[in-house]
Amino acid sequence: MAVILDGKMLSAKFREGIKAETEILKHKTGKAPGIAVILAGDDPASNVYVTSKERTAIECGFHSVVERVSANVTTEDILKLVKKFNDDDKIHGILVQLPLPRNCDEKTILRAIKPEKDVDGFHPYNVGLLNIGEDCLMPCTPFGVMNMLADYGIELSGKNAVVIGRSNIVGKPIAAMLLKANATVTICHSKTKNLAEICSKADILVAAMGRPKFVTREFIKTGAVVIDVGINRLDGKLCGDVDYDGVKDMCSFITPVPGGVGPMTITTLMQNTLKAFKMIEKL
Ligand code: NAD
């Protein structure tokens, strides 16, 4: 029977650690880690994420600022906000909530964030460092997955890892992180032939495709570790990219949806903010 990788429990444990360390650093320096989130438009899902980020930051003892601007905002307006937070000594992490309204130039905006405050790890400078295996701020969802694998003591060195999905926020960075952990990594995507056959050789299978319950028994090697990053809605209910009930008896470890990878993402954002604080304040 598979061990369920409990992201809810783990993120609560990590948050306690972040809170305790923040408390100590506040006493020592008189300063707190600060995070600024820019939310443009009124997308309901983005609003929920940002509110949750704000609540978690405050719970961790951080200084938290949220700038909510209308969907009619221009690239220039957002660049001004980014500059304001780049220059603000109380802010150590800046996050621009995606997706941005269509009229905004996402690339230009993300590149304007100072790399040392880029707590989403999307700036090409941090992407480059990740890909040459150097210490940097790393994207939250894949870094959260790595923390989860480490906490459960799952060995990666020499293992066959298959990642389904090649996005810049999940697929590519998790592949780079698994490679750094000495796994042998294959990246699959929408043009990959014989997907199920490739996946069925994986000791570690990461599904990040956004296709509800796509990964079925024929994709799974008996004893595999299965990480489901997908968040989909099917018949009004949340589900992952993996057919959880159909495959779980074949796996050694598996993440549920909800309650697996999802809760780790915001916690990892807090870890990144604390890391940026320590780097910037030279602690
Ligand atoms: P994306 O749409 O940017 O990328 C999806 C990737 O899957 C693409 O590279 C595509 O080639 C691949 N793909 C799509 N259909 C495929 C198929 N039939 N066969 C093989 N490959 C296929 O998505 P994303 O931003 O990487 O997100 C992926 C999923 O993860 C989504 O469900 C998203 O909601 C979820 N997500 C979850 C979190 C979290 O915190 N848990 C964070 C980010 C994304």
Side-chain angles (χ1 to χ4, degrees), residues 77-149:
D77 295 331
I78 299 188
L79 287 174
K80 272 189 206 145
L81 286 174
V82 169
K83 180 168 178 356
K84 181 178 89 171
F85 292 131
N86 275 341
D87 296 341
D88 186 341
D89 292 344
K90 288 203 181 73
I91 297 297
H92 307 88
I94 303 171
L95 183 149
V96 177
Q97 185 66 39
L98 302 178
L100 281 166
R102 234 183 285 151
N103 46 318
C104 292
D105 179 354
E106 184 180 302
K107 263 192 205 168
T108 303
I109 289 166
L110 294 182
R111 285 171 198 192
I113 297 172
K114 270 190 186 168
E116 63 268 34
K117 295 191 177 186
D118 170 39
V119 283
D120 247 345
F122 294 159
H123 191 290
Y125 180 79
N126 284 314
V127 175
L129 288 179
L130 173 62
N131 280 283
I132 57 171
E134 287 192 20
D135 187 38
C136 60
L137 291 166
M138 295 190 278
C140 299
T141 299
F143 187 31
V145 169
M146 296 305 286
N147 286 335
M148 191 179 229
L149 292 168

Side-chain angles (χ1 to χ4, degrees), residues 2-253:
V3 172
I4 313 300
L5 296 166
D6 186 344
K8 231 173 141 182
M9 177 275 295
L10 205 57
S11 62
K13 183 175 102 175
F14 283 2
R15 282 177 201 187
E16 283 308 313
I18 295 167
K19 201 171 151 185
E21 192 177 350
T22 301
E23 201 54 44
I24 292 167
L25 293 173
K26 269 171 140 175
H27 270 292
K28 203 167 133 185
T29 64
K31 295 175 184 172
I35 180 165
V37 178
I38 300 170
L39 171 62
D42 43 22
D43 176 59
S46 292
N47 214 344
V48 170
Y49 288 139
V50 169
T51 304
S52 177
K53 285 168 187 173
E54 189 180 20
R55 197 184 53 234
T56 310
I58 291 166
E59 274 168 22
C60 289
F62 293 3
H63 165 59
S64 169
V65 180
V66 178
E67 282 278 358
R68 290 183 159 82
V69 289
S70 88
N72 302 325
V73 73
T74 64
T75 300
E76 290 310 312
D77 295 331
I78 299 188
L79 287 174
K80 272 189 206 145
L81 286 174
V82 169
K83 180 168 178 356
K84 181 178 89 171
F85 292 131
N86 275 341
D87 296 341
D88 186 341
D89 292 344
K90 288 203 181 73
I91 297 297
H92 307 88
I94 303 171
L95 183 149
V96 177
Q97 185 66 39
L98 302 178
L100 281 166
R102 234 183 285 151
N103 46 318
C104 292
D105 179 354
E106 184 180 302
K107 263 192 205 168
T108 303
I109 289 166
L110 294 182
R111 285 171 198 192
I113 297 172
K114 270 190 186 168
E116 63 268 34
K117 295 191 177 186
D118 170 39
V119 283
D120 247 345
F122 294 159
H123 191 290
Y125 180 79
N126 284 314
V127 175
L129 288 179
L130 173 62
N131 280 283
I132 57 171
E134 287 192 20
D135 187 38
C136 60
L137 291 166
M138 295 190 278
C140 299
T141 299
F143 187 31
V145 169
M146 296 305 286
N147 286 335
M148 191 179 229
L149 292 168
D151 199 85
Y152 276 85
I154 294 168
E155 180 62 50
L156 299 173
S157 182
K159 296 290 168 67
N160 272 336
V162 174
V163 178
I164 320 177
R166 58 174 162 183
S167 73
N168 292 331
I169 46 176
V170 189
K172 282 187 205 142
I174 192 120
M177 291 176 205
L178 289 165
L179 192 59
K180 192 176 180 201
N182 295 320
T184 304
V185 183
T186 305
I187 306 178
C188 299
H189 47 79
S190 54
K191 302 284 188 289
T192 298
K193 303 248 187 320
N194 306 323
L195 182 65
E197 193 193 324
I198 297 169
C199 294
S200 70
K201 308 274 192 311
D203 303 307
I204 318 281
L205 179 62
V206 180
M209 55 202 305
R211 301 272 178 269
K213 300 188 183 182
F214 194 95
V215 174
T216 49
R217 291 181 78 83
E218 57 173 339
F219 287 67
I220 309 290
K221 174 178 169 179
T222 301
V225 176
V226 175
I227 305 294
D228 191 352
V229 182
I231 300 178
N232 310 289
R233 231 167 234 292
L234 192 65
D235 305 326
K237 276 177 133 180
L238 278 190
C239 73
D241 291 344
V242 176
D243 176 18
Y244 180 84
D245 290 326
V247 309
K248 75 170 187 279
D249 66 305
M250 298 177 72
C251 310
S252 55
F253 294 87

